[in-house]
Amino acid sequence: MRILTYILLAYWAFALLNIILNLLLIGRPRKAALEREPFVSIVIPARDEERDIERTVRALLVQDYSAFEVIVVDDRSTDSTGAILARIAAEDRRLVVVHGEEPPAGWLGKPWAMHQGSGRARGEMLLFVDADVHYAPGTLLTAVEQIEASGVAMLFLYPHFEMRGLWENAVMPAVPLTPFMFPLWLGERFPLPFLGLGGGTGNLIRRGEYDAVGGHEALCDAVVDDVGLAQHVRRNGHRTGVIRADRLVSVRMYHGLDEIVRGFTKNAFTAIGRSYLITATFVVILFVGHLLPFILPLVAVVALIIAARLIFFAAMRYPLWSAVLLHPLLAMIWIWIVIRSAWITGVRGELAWRGRTYDAARTRFGAERDTRSSP
């Protein structure tokens, strides 16, 4: 028991140290002078997004930036998404609505929508944004200032995650917290591909570098294409960066427990390499490292876990009661999600999302090939 306690204390001390360093070293946006405002194409994939699409698009159209367009790829929606977009487009010419085609063989729906949108884009820079993300006024200008000042090929806008109710506050903090438990701050200094971070809340990339690495064609079968894009850009010799934009960008990824479980079931097994051995190891880590300390209980370890969560939650403006009370529930549900994902997308080989079904065995986490030598 003493050895286990020491191991878990070391594990969580490492996590706490990285949380502190990441919070300190991953910078917030700073004002920077622009010689000019390069034209930006904002590309949004939208399939059955009537719940969020109007709020997302209207927030983008009022950005205080002089040169941009918003391209929404209506990915054959069956709800009122198309009608909402048509109404907004009639009011503002900067909104371009692309009526998407069915994905060809070998493509997943979202990368295919991104590919179609990028094909219509006129911008020197492309900003890929999901349909449920909200941008505060000034976000686009700030993002362009940061990418120009840093000189990176791609910049990720790290958001604020909106969480409501017990289940969202219990489960969703794993999404922003887990990356911060690892040395992301090293990724700002060393171009290691696995430290590349991206997301659907905002991947701003220069058009030249996007085309050079093969665009979304290199991510055609990527389940997590947004993180995959950052890692792919790095793998091909370009730099990426991250800014903490949690006061500018917000997202409520899923509403309620059912959406959370279904959403992460589709990609959890793929994200850990579609390996049953790694899955079993991951489940053991979740149980031993995150749940067992509360069961035994190992008071010192529990105190360290709660301290790490409190520091992160306070910095990111998440509820502190959740930081103190809900970690065991987080661990239990994520164990279930990982096992469920391995069974459905691994054993059964089914990947269902937004009304489409794919052969899960033919999908990947992100792009795996280096395109520098491609013709």
Side-chain angles (χ1 to χ4, degrees):
M1 185 68 68
R2 182 175 297 178
I3 294 176
L4 176 62
T5 301
Y6 289 154
I7 292 172
L8 292 177
L9 285 172
Y11 172 81
W12 279 102
F14 175 76
L16 176 59
L17 176 62
N18 282 313
I19 287 170
I20 294 171
L21 289 174
N22 286 325
L23 289 172
L24 291 174
L25 298 178
I26 295 178
R28 289 193 178 280
R30 296 182 179 180
K31 188 65 180 176
L34 282 177
E35 294 183 4
R36 65 183 184 89
E37 295 185 357
F39 194 85
V40 178
S41 295
I42 304 169
V43 180
I44 304 172
R47 180 173 172 85
D48 295 340
E49 296 284 0
E50 63 181 5
R51 183 170 66 190
D52 300 299
I53 192 64
E54 183 160 4
R55 178 174 183 257
T56 296
V57 170
R58 290 196 182 280
L60 289 168
L61 289 172
V62 297
Q63 293 295 306
D64 52 352
Y65 191 82
S66 64
F68 74 96
E69 62 182 353
V70 179
I71 300 173
V72 181
V73 181
D74 180 10
D75 187 13
R76 306 182 72 83
S77 297
T78 58
D79 63 5
S80 61
T81 297
I84 293 169
L85 292 171
R87 173 164 45 83
I88 302 173
E91 302 170 7
D92 196 319
R93 287 187 172 184
R94 293 172 301 170
L95 173 60
V96 178
V97 181
V98 176
H99 299 286
E101 301 175 358
E102 277 295 309
W107 284 81
L108 298 182
K110 184 181 174 185
W112 174 240
M114 298 288 208
H115 178 70
Q116 293 175 88
S118 66
R120 289 287 298 272
R122 298 181 290 125
E124 300 170 57
M125 296 185 184
L126 306 176
L127 176 61
F128 294 104
V129 182
D130 285 351
D132 55 358
V133 179
H134 184 261
Y135 274 39
T139 303
L140 182 57
L141 175 61
T142 299
V144 174
E145 288 175 344
Q146 305 314 299
I147 195 172
E148 292 285 64
S150 65
V152 298
M154 185 185 119
L155 185 71
F156 168 52
L157 308 183
Y158 203 92
H160 176 75
F161 286 83
E162 297 179 14
M163 296 169 278
R164 302 176 190 173
L166 173 65
W167 297 114
E168 292 175 41
N169 276 288
V171 185
M172 288 305 299
V175 178
L177 174 61
T178 301
F180 268 66
M181 292 171 61
F182 296 92
L184 293 180
W185 56 275
L186 284 176
E188 296 293 288
R189 290 148 182 82
F190 303 100
L192 302 171
F194 73 92
L195 291 175
L197 197 61
T201 53
N203 283 340
L204 179 62
I205 185 169
R206 301 176 192 274
R207 182 67 194 239
E209 281 80 352
Y210 176 77
D211 290 338
V213 302
H216 275 84
E217 189 171 1
L219 297 154
C220 61
D221 54 359
V223 176
V224 190
D225 64 280
D226 39 32
V227 179
L229 180 60
Q231 295 181 354
H232 183 59
V233 168
R234 286 188 169 215
R235 193 174 291 117
N236 282 272
H238 304 286
R239 294 168 55 220
T240 71
V242 183
I243 57 168
R244 285 178 54 196
D246 50 286
R247 297 189 181 276
L248 296 171
V249 181
S250 62
V251 60
R252 186 181 178 193
M253 285 183 65
Y254 297 119
H255 294 225
L257 183 60
D258 182 62
E259 285 192 16
I260 292 171
V261 171
R262 287 189 293 110
F264 289 111
T265 291
K266 81 179 187 300
N267 57 24
F269 186 57
T270 302
I272 51 183
R274 297 189 59 81
S275 164
Y276 295 103
L277 178 60
I278 297 176
T279 298
T281 303
F282 194 70
V283 168
V284 169
I285 291 172
L286 281 171
F287 178 77
V288 175
H290 296 256
L291 187 57
L292 191 61
F294 293 87
I295 296 173
L296 289 178
L298 302 176
V299 177
V301 179
V302 169
L304 195 55
I305 293 172
I306 293 175
R309 285 170 60 91
L310 280 171
I311 290 171
F312 182 76
F313 279 45
M316 303 300 283
R317 295 174 292 116
Y318 300 142
L320 298 186
W321 64 266
S322 170
V324 175
L325 299 177
L326 296 184
H327 194 74
L329 192 55
L330 176 151
M332 287 188 286
I333 295 173
W334 275 99
I335 288 171
W336 165 240
I337 289 172
V338 171
I339 293 173
R340 186 175 189 265
S341 181
W343 173 254
I344 293 177
T345 68
V347 176
R348 288 168 45 180
E350 300 171 2
L351 194 155
W353 192 243
R354 302 279 179 163
R356 291 189 176 115
T357 302
Y358 307 95
D359 179 359
R362 296 181 179 273
T363 63
R364 295 176 292 171
F365 176 79
E368 295 176 357
R369 63 186 179 90
D370 186 319
T371 59
R372 283 176 291 187
S373 61
S374 299

